[in-house]
Amino acid sequence: MEAARKTGALARLTGVIARHPWRAIGIWVLIIAAVIGAAAAFGGALQNKFEIPNSDAQKATDLIQKRFPARSGDTATIVFHTDGSLTTAQGQTAITDAIAAAKTIPHVVGAGDPLANKGGQISQSGKVGYVDVQFDQRAWTLPANTAPDFKAAVEKAVDGSGVQVAFTGQVMQEQPKQGASEAIGLLAAIIILLIVFGTVVAAVIPILLALLAVGMGITLLTLAAGFTDFNTITPILATMIGLGVGIDYSLFIVTRFRQALHDGTPPREAAALAASTAGRAVIFAGTTVAISVIGLATIGLDFITKMGIGASLTVLTSVAVAVTLLPAVLALLGHKVDRLKIPFIKTPDDSLAAAKQTAVAKWGRLVTRRAWAFFLVSLGVMLLLASPVVAIQLGAADAGTSPKDTTQRVAYDWLAEGFGPGFNGPLIVAVDGTPQQAEQLQKAIAATPDVAFATPAIPNPENDAALITVYAKSSPQDKATADLVEHLRHVTIPDAGVTAHVGGATAAFDDIAARIFSRIPWFLLFVVGITLLILTMAFRSLVISLKAALTTILSCAASFGVLTMVFQKGVGASLIGLDKTGPIESFLPVIVFALIFGLSMDYEVFLVSRIREAFVGGDTPRAAITDGVATIGRVIIAAALIMSCVFFAFLTGVDRTIKEFGLALGLAIVFDAFIVRLTLVPALMHLLDQIGRAHV
């Protein structure tokens, strides 16, 4: 067995690193310096660019950019509110001053006049009004200070007038911020590692290396952004994933290193052994994540593919750090890894003999003794958790689900109060035709059920195109609005005999959801199929591969089921700072599935590898299962707690999409580790062995 461990390219590489640790560290210093230098010289900025090739919403956008160049930039909407009336002299002065202040901001090329009912209006009650302000660029290309300067200038203009202002629109969208969530996740990880290892040195190593890996991954993302587009949510998602896997990968290798030390292996040999055994599973797990992310390309939406690729950068850097830098650090530390013991916490004995006496080892023996009972109960629990997923609604939650103290939420509530919920998500109908055709279509749209109001058609200077703004009676995230979009596209517009396309944010997210639904079979075929192939090659067992794939799908389904209950049905939503429900972001399930399908393989590979190792070493099948659970179960529990805490920490942020990612990923890890890998899988493997023996 020992001879087998010392063969192979990985064993030779880790052996060289362990024998020459300072050389390995020096090479890493050069690599880090080169990456930072390249990012500083060639890096780019992130941007919220959504393109949906061949969709109706994209055709509307393309037509507007081509025929209405003055409207090709994005807009900001100023919403006015007063307890009195905006039509008084004081109210009118405040509005005029606000518009004048808005026009002083660079890149503003025009603004409406709600007092003249042009590019804005006043509600019948006189308490609410709005005005649209046109910019000459898309929101993501504007300087970073544009939105804050715009907001400050308008607020100053109305100060003391008794008129309040709030802001919405693409230009005013607040970008997700990093900071507090990561700190909370790291603090939780440190506490868990201190309990697991019992020493400060061993606990700090995974944290420091994870931070290094995340830093490298984000720097590489910055460099890549200089050559292609990445969404602004990508670095937060990358940090979330990178911290979780970075700590877990190092945790697995450090644990194996300490086991070898406690079994009497010399430090440098122990470092090489840990990196070549646990490191092999780390490489496999990271590769699985990368392959799953590549599968996102089958969806055919560039921004989804890029979000996955951006997240995978921190995963791949975590693998590289764990396999090539960590063994050098461990070789230098040696037995010092057990220094600075924590008072009142007994330093765990990581030897194999001690592992067989732990609570998790007893759990493994109990599960295999009562295999049928544990298999049926765990499967039933997972299916019950997954059941709400059949009612999942994909789309885009509107600003009405934002925290109450954000300017977008305030603007949303005021507009809904003054003009109805449909004013928060106007549909833009781009007409490719004459003014007469556009006028005919406008009348047909205005007469369509569920349309609250359709503005008169605005032709372009060449009179070969026109724009009609349509306000639904329902809110942007309401299913009735999605149904209206489909009705306009497939009934109203064809009946009018005019070439026109329905665009706007609401229509675009409907198109994204439709594209994802249509491509899901190909996505699943790629991700599941490739993973099955790799697992079969690794374990030489189709049964184990099928079991791994199906149980991972079960973990994802259970996570999505709870996600549906919380974000869509509102169960427990207040506990995570939400006061309104909405659909699940259309792009979230496929990204979460791709990531979880890779991340859950960490636990599957580590568990099955140790089971196989015990079986090859002479254990009976049942003994191999229980020994595998005994030796790796405690590490899986610690790793799952750390990763889920990192993910759950992002529930403390204000961005709804980040909360969705945090809850979905965190729950999937908890379900996969505790219910699936440590209960369902051992029970199932024991049952499969019994069934196989019964038919021999």
Side-chain angles (χ1 to χ4, degrees):
M1 192 70 181
E2 287 296 324
R5 290 172 181 168
K6 295 179 181 178
T7 60
L10 180 60
R12 291 192 294 272
L13 173 63
T14 57
V16 171
I17 291 171
R19 289 192 301 272
H20 306 285
W22 285 113
R23 293 183 186 178
I25 293 173
I27 292 172
W28 264 102
V29 170
L30 292 176
I31 292 172
I32 292 170
V35 171
I36 292 175
F42 306 107
L46 305 175
Q47 48 186 280
N48 287 327
K49 187 176 182 180
F50 295 91
E51 290 187 351
I52 318 162
N54 300 317
S55 69
D56 199 52
Q58 188 63 50
K59 291 176 182 177
T61 299
D62 293 342
L63 191 147
I64 293 171
Q65 291 178 343
K66 182 178 180 181
R67 307 280 184 88
F68 296 85
R71 290 174 173 259
S72 60
D74 282 327
T75 62
T77 299
I78 307 171
V79 184
F80 304 95
H81 184 274
T82 183
D83 293 331
S85 175
L86 294 172
T87 59
T88 64
Q90 187 176 12
Q92 293 184 36
T93 300
I95 291 174
T96 303
D97 290 346
I99 295 173
K103 290 180 177 179
T104 64
I105 303 300
H107 301 288
V108 170
V109 294
D113 182 0
L115 301 175
N117 208 32
K118 179 181 179 182
Q121 62 185 108
I122 307 295
S123 66
Q124 289 185 348
S125 67
K127 295 180 181 297
V128 181
Y130 75 92
V131 62
D132 293 325
V133 180
Q134 182 71 46
F135 286 75
D136 61 1
Q137 296 180 19
R138 303 304 299 270
W140 62 77
T141 64
L142 291 168
N145 64 326
T146 300
D149 289 351
F150 181 87
K151 183 173 180 288
V154 173
E155 288 177 337
K156 183 178 179 181
V158 301
D159 187 33
S161 66
V163 174
Q164 300 170 291
V165 289
F167 304 87
T168 188
Q170 301 97 322
V171 174
M172 303 307 296
Q173 290 297 317
E174 296 179 0
Q175 302 305 326
K177 295 181 175 61
Q178 294 178 266
S181 298
E182 290 88 333
I184 294 171
L186 284 173
L187 178 61
I190 290 172
I191 293 172
I192 295 170
L193 288 171
L194 288 173
I195 295 173
V196 169
F197 289 131
T199 71
V200 173
V201 174
V204 165
I205 292 172
I207 298 293
L208 293 179
L209 291 185
L211 289 173
L212 174 63
V214 169
M216 281 284 289
I218 297 300
T219 306
L220 287 171
L221 177 62
T222 302
L223 175 60
F227 302 93
T228 188
D229 303 321
F230 286 92
N231 193 281
T232 54
I233 201 176
T234 305
I236 298 180
L237 182 61
T239 300
M240 187 189 305
I241 301 298
L243 284 177
V245 301
I247 295 172
D248 275 10
Y249 290 168
S250 295
L251 168 65
F252 282 121
I253 293 177
V254 171
T255 299
R256 194 62 188 270
F257 171 71
R258 295 176 83 224
Q259 287 175 347
L261 281 182
H262 297 174
D263 286 334
T265 307
R268 296 202 173 188
E269 289 186 25
L273 176 64
S276 62
T277 52
R280 195 179 307 277
V282 165
I283 292 174
F284 181 87
T287 302
T288 306
V289 174
I291 290 173
S292 298
V293 166
I294 291 173
L296 289 171
T298 61
I299 300 296
L301 294 174
D302 189 61
F303 77 92
I304 289 180
T305 303
K306 299 283 184 60
M307 287 173 68
I309 291 174
S312 72
L313 286 175
T314 54
V315 175
L316 295 177
T317 52
S318 296
V319 171
V321 167
V323 175
T324 61
L325 180 58
L326 179 56
V329 173
L330 295 177
L332 290 174
L333 281 175
H335 289 283
K336 295 177 183 177
V337 74
D338 289 328
R339 285 190 174 179
L340 300 178
K341 295 182 179 180
I342 306 300
F344 311 114
I345 296 180
K346 183 180 178 180
T347 303
D349 184 352
D350 287 323
S351 65
L352 180 59
K356 293 184 178 182
Q357 305 305 316
T358 60
V360 71
K362 295 176 182 178
W363 174 258
R365 291 192 288 270
L366 176 62
V367 167
T368 53
R369 273 201 312 271
R370 302 284 186 269
W372 272 114
F374 278 101
F375 171 72
L376 292 175
V377 170
S378 57
L379 179 61
V381 169
M382 293 296 286
L383 291 174
L384 179 64
L385 291 169
S387 59
V389 79
V390 298
I392 194 170
Q393 178 189 348
L394 299 184
D398 56 37
T401 62
S402 300
K404 288 184 176 180
D405 57 350
T406 60
T407 188
Q408 288 88 352
R409 173 62 182 276
V410 174
Y412 180 98
D413 290 341
W414 286 349
L415 286 173
E417 172 194 336
F419 305 99
F423 263 72
N424 284 288
L427 304 174
I428 309 299
V429 178
V431 183
D432 187 359
T434 64
Q436 293 75 21
Q437 291 175 313
E439 182 180 353
Q440 176 186 350
L441 178 59
Q442 187 273 340
K443 292 178 181 178
I445 292 174
T448 300
D450 296 324
V451 170
F453 180 67
T455 65
I458 302 175
N460 65 342
E462 291 78 15
N463 285 326
D464 61 357
L467 296 179
I468 303 170
T469 303
V470 181
Y471 297 98
K473 292 179 180 178
S474 49
S475 69
Q477 69 180 24
D478 197 307
K479 187 178 183 299
T481 305
D483 293 340
L484 174 61
V485 171
E486 293 304 304
H487 186 85
L488 291 176
R489 287 173 171 172
H490 301 297
V491 179
T492 306
I493 293 174
D495 286 351
V498 180
T499 301
H501 309 286
V502 182
T506 303
F509 277 101
D510 286 344
D511 287 346
I512 290 172
R515 174 67 60 86
I516 290 172
F517 270 121
S518 69
R519 299 293 180 89
I520 277 181
W522 296 106
F523 168 71
L524 293 176
L525 181 64
F526 180 91
V527 174
V528 178
I530 294 295
T531 305
L532 273 175
L533 178 62
I534 294 175
L535 283 171
T536 303
M537 293 172 61
F539 294 113
R540 295 176 174 84
S541 170
L542 181 60
V543 173
I544 288 179
S545 303
L546 282 171
K547 178 263 302 175
L550 292 175
T551 52
T552 302
I553 292 173
L554 190 60
S555 297
C556 290
S559 173
F560 294 151
V562 178
L563 191 73
T564 302
M565 292 301 295
V566 174
F567 285 87
Q568 196 172 306
K569 305 297 184 182
V571 178
S574 60
L575 299 176
I576 57 174
L578 297 175
D579 68 316
K580 289 189 68 175
T581 60
I584 307 301
E585 258 57 34
S586 54
F587 53 79
L588 183 135
V590 289
I591 295 176
V592 169
F593 183 87
L595 293 172
I596 288 299
F597 213 83
L599 296 177
S600 67
M601 290 303 156
D602 291 9
Y603 309 135
E604 175 71 16
V605 171
F606 277 98
L607 177 61
V608 176
S609 294
R610 292 307 292 266
I611 292 174
R612 186 173 183 273
E613 187 177 325
F615 180 73
V616 172
D619 278 358
T620 63
R622 179 177 175 181
I625 293 170
T626 56
D627 284 355
V629 173
T631 53
I632 204 66
R634 191 167 63 90
V635 182
I636 288 178
I637 291 173
L641 287 174
I642 290 170
M643 190 176 289
S644 59
C645 283
V646 170
F647 292 154
F648 287 145
F650 284 82
L651 294 173
T652 61
V654 298
D655 186 84
R656 186 179 189 274
T657 304
I658 294 298
K659 288 178 184 286
E660 288 179 341
F661 272 113
L663 186 64
L665 291 168
L667 287 174
I669 291 297
V670 169
F671 295 154
D672 195 81
F674 292 96
I675 301 179
V676 173
R677 303 303 154 197
L678 294 181
T679 305
L680 181 64
V681 167
L684 180 59
M685 291 184 72
H686 181 62
L687 290 174
L688 290 173
D689 176 63
Q690 287 185 322
I691 294 171
R693 288 172 179 271
H695 288 81
V696 172

